[in-house]
Amino acid sequence: MQLTALLSTLLVATTTTLTTAFPTTLHHRQDQQTLRPLQISDLTARTLSDLDFGLFNMTLYDPNTDSAPTICNVNWHPTKPVPTSTTVKCYNNAYEVSFPAGLGSHIDRFTLRVQTTNTSSVQERGEVRLDASIEDTKWVCRNRTTEYIKQQCAYSGVLEIEI
């Protein structure tokens, strides 16, 4: 009976020690890791002419994880801007996008934030200001590209967001 109690105590003590030691080592390795910028491609935004409707689309690649690229879409009514507190999950729920200054009808200039959610193994967050009025910008906007498009903007190339 005493041998059983002793073995149980040793087993619990060993398990507790291993459990507490493992996360500390894992966090230490992540702290020293240099995180690479998130990469955004196929970044577009458009507002429609006849409808109060906006579309924002992008593909997100995270070089810091093994996950495949994910698509992020936001649909909104430009006359009722996306609130600053709103976050929208991407197809891979480990990522989400938001607009710290809101997003309304002025798709030619806004701030985009991309971050991981609590379900991600690596916590990342970065933001970038897109402004079509800046000289030599890759965020290019055009008005009335078709009968139904009021304004359409696209990023030329791959946008890197530092985290």
Side-chain angles (χ1 to χ4, degrees):
M1 193 100 151
Q2 288 180 340
L3 182 58
T4 306
L6 179 60
L7 288 175
S8 294
T9 303
L10 286 174
L11 183 59
V12 169
T14 304
T15 305
T16 304
T17 303
L18 288 175
T19 303
T20 17
F22 183 70
T24 305
T25 304
L26 183 65
H27 288 301
H28 181 63
R29 191 176 319 144
Q30 283 181 352
D31 290 343
Q32 289 183 349
Q33 177 184 11
T34 301
L35 296 176
R36 293 174 285 177
L38 298 171
Q39 297 176 350
I40 309 295
S41 61
D42 305 318
L43 176 59
T44 63
R46 65 185 66 86
T47 53
L48 304 182
S49 297
D50 297 338
L51 302 171
D52 179 31
F53 198 72
L55 305 150
F56 173 89
N57 309 93
M58 67 180 223
T59 301
L60 168 65
Y61 171 68
D62 185 352
N64 301 303
T65 67
D66 294 330
S67 60
T70 186
I71 295 172
C72 308
N73 296 320
V74 179
N75 301 324
W76 81 101
H77 300 285
T79 57
K80 297 177 184 170
V82 177
T84 58
S85 61
T86 299
T87 58
V88 179
K89 291 199 184 306
C90 299
Y91 283 115
N92 177 342
N93 286 335
Y95 300 93
E96 60 190 14
V97 297
S98 62
F99 305 94
L103 180 63
S105 60
H106 298 288
I107 60 172
D108 57 330
R109 60 187 182 282
F110 63 91
T111 300
L112 169 67
R113 178 180 292 151
V114 180
Q115 62 192 33
T116 53
T117 62
N118 293 336
T119 61
S120 177
S121 60
V122 179
Q123 295 302 303
E124 303 164 300
R125 177 177 164 174
E127 59 184 53
V128 64
R129 175 85 178 154
L130 296 167
D131 190 336
S133 68
I134 296 175
E135 191 173 332
D136 296 328
T137 184
K138 292 185 177 186
W139 183 243
V140 179
C141 298
R142 291 184 171 74
N143 294 323
R144 301 280 180 198
T145 56
T146 70
E147 177 183 351
Y148 304 104
I149 305 282
K150 182 176 181 180
Q151 186 175 39
Q152 181 168 333
C153 302
Y155 191 86
S156 175
V158 175
L159 173 64
E160 291 192 340
I161 300 180
E162 296 293 331
I163 48 177

